[in-house]
Amino acid sequence: MTFSVESKGVYAIATTPFLENGAIDFNSVDRLTDFYQESGCTGITILGIMGEAPKLEPEESRAIVKRVVSHAKVPVIVGVSAPGFAGMRSLARDSMEMGAAGVMIAPPPSLRTDDQIVNYFAGAVEAVGEDVPWVLQDYPLTLTVVMSPGVIAKIISNYPSCLMLKHEDWPGLEKISRLRTLQKAGELRPFSILCGNGGMFLDFEPERGADGAMTGYGFPDMLTELVGLFADGKRDEAHDLFDAHLPLIRYEQQLGVGLAVRKHVLKRRGVIATDVQRKPAQMLSAAAKAEVDYLLGRLAKRDKRAAF
């Protein structure tokens, strides 16, 4: 299965489930894959930042790719960002051989100038191979690499194998508008834009030209409904749905505990067996768990999906 410059909808950023002893919980991997598909997701992205990829051994990463790709009925994109190109190439080529639709590449935090960024992705594409479809991840809040619309446009123009932008700038609505303006003016070829940041700005991103979301918020079924409402022109209904979930989305955006909140919600929904993270990790305190549960209880009054 593949993705393309016309890909739309929701690509779920998958967490990596672990058992209490820290081993990968493959039964939960299967349930999570099914959950994303049953929620209407059009794709799944694994081994991203929220997938705790840097905490995995190389053989564990490949085992997860094999398990998800063999179980999924939608395109699977694999995060292959790595300190060096050798490891990136190895995981990318192995993932494609196992049936992945493509890979996602983020810039390393050391990049500062436009030339450094453009040259880095030249090396990355050479490493993984020009035949491998890939997603450009733009996440300056975490990666500290600022890519202007001009730099993104240059990377997309230089490499036909770049089919999608994972947009996670903040604020970033004007960046989406600028990129789509360049495209409409014939200065930039078609490409897909899916947005992250936990869905924090998904109430306006589709109106600015985004094709959907690529995030791991614990209610992917809500995300797919929201994107569908925007596609159908039901703006007020879309905003009403978003507003109901906004307190929980906001709570998840706290630095350091976002993944802990996400795993707690997925555990509460019965999708994964534990909320364990690999060390180093910041877990939720008893008070924080109570706050998340309170938000879930309030959400259940407006969205029955939270009534569990």
Side-chain angles (χ1 to χ4, degrees):
M1 289 174 285
T2 62
F3 71 108
S4 73
V5 297
E6 298 179 352
S7 291
K8 302 179 183 297
V10 175
Y11 275 58
I13 289 286
T15 62
T16 299
F18 297 109
L19 299 170
E20 292 290 351
N21 64 3
I24 296 171
D25 180 357
F26 285 103
N27 289 331
S28 288
V29 169
D30 291 344
R31 284 198 301 272
L32 193 60
T33 303
D34 290 336
F35 172 67
Y36 290 140
Q37 295 177 136
E38 292 163 1
S39 296
C41 293
T42 50
I44 301 172
T45 302
I46 59 176
L47 303 186
I49 293 173
M50 284 296 197
E52 300 179 75
K55 302 176 186 177
L56 300 173
E57 297 289 345
E59 61 270 19
E60 291 179 317
S61 297
R62 284 160 176 77
I64 291 172
V65 174
K66 183 177 181 180
R67 188 71 168 233
V68 176
V69 169
S70 64
H71 200 76
K73 298 178 177 63
V74 296
V76 176
I77 293 175
V78 180
V80 297
S81 302
F85 288 143
M88 181 187 295
R89 173 181 173 79
S90 177
L91 180 56
R93 301 307 297 187
D94 287 351
S95 296
M96 295 304 293
E97 288 180 8
M98 285 186 274
V103 303
M104 183 166 68
I105 305 173
S110 59
L111 305 181
R112 286 294 174 264
T113 70
D114 291 352
D115 285 345
Q116 286 175 339
I117 295 167
V118 172
N119 290 337
Y120 175 82
F121 282 101
V125 172
E126 180 182 18
V128 303
E130 295 181 359
D131 58 322
V132 175
W134 62 285
V135 179
L136 171 62
Q137 184 173 13
D138 178 24
Y139 196 7
L141 273 75
T142 292
L143 302 173
T144 72
V145 178
V146 177
M147 290 191 279
S148 68
V151 167
I152 291 173
K154 187 170 185 178
I155 293 169
I156 291 173
S157 297
N158 286 351
Y159 306 107
S161 55
C162 181
L163 307 182
M164 180 185 291
L165 170 67
K166 186 187 180 188
H167 170 81
E168 297 191 89
D169 205 345
W170 181 350
L173 294 174
E174 297 301 332
K175 180 182 280 189
I176 298 173
S177 293
R178 177 57 180 157
L179 288 168
R180 288 309 191 202
T181 297
L182 289 173
Q183 188 181 351
K184 290 177 182 177
E187 299 176 32
L188 187 58
R189 64 173 175 81
F191 64 101
S192 173
I193 299 178
L194 298 185
C195 298
N197 277 323
M200 189 73 168
F201 300 98
L202 197 57
D203 51 341
F204 287 111
E205 287 164 340
E207 298 177 348
R208 292 297 192 110
D211 297 300
M214 184 185 286
T215 188
Y217 177 57
F219 288 85
D221 35 358
M222 182 282 286
L223 297 176
T224 60
E225 181 181 352
L226 183 69
V227 170
L229 288 170
F230 275 116
D232 292 338
K234 298 178 179 179
R235 189 187 197 198
D236 288 344
E237 290 182 41
H239 279 269
D240 287 343
L241 177 61
F242 178 84
D243 291 349
H245 283 259
L246 182 55
L248 183 57
I249 291 173
R250 183 200 63 172
Y251 197 94
E252 191 187 82
Q253 288 300 306
Q254 296 178 88
L255 290 176
V257 298
L259 179 59
V261 174
R262 189 169 293 179
K263 283 195 163 185
H264 178 70
V265 171
L266 290 171
K267 180 184 176 183
R268 285 289 315 275
R269 297 195 75 182
V271 183
I272 60 177
T274 78
D275 58 0
V276 171
Q277 300 173 59
R278 285 254 175 108
K279 296 179 180 180
Q282 186 172 341
M283 303 299 292
L284 295 180
S285 65
K289 286 186 178 181
E291 288 165 350
V292 174
D293 291 341
Y294 176 73
L295 291 175
L296 288 169
R298 289 181 58 82
L299 176 59
K301 298 175 182 178
R302 303 176 67 181
D303 190 332
K304 63 181 181 181
R305 282 172 288 219
F308 44 79

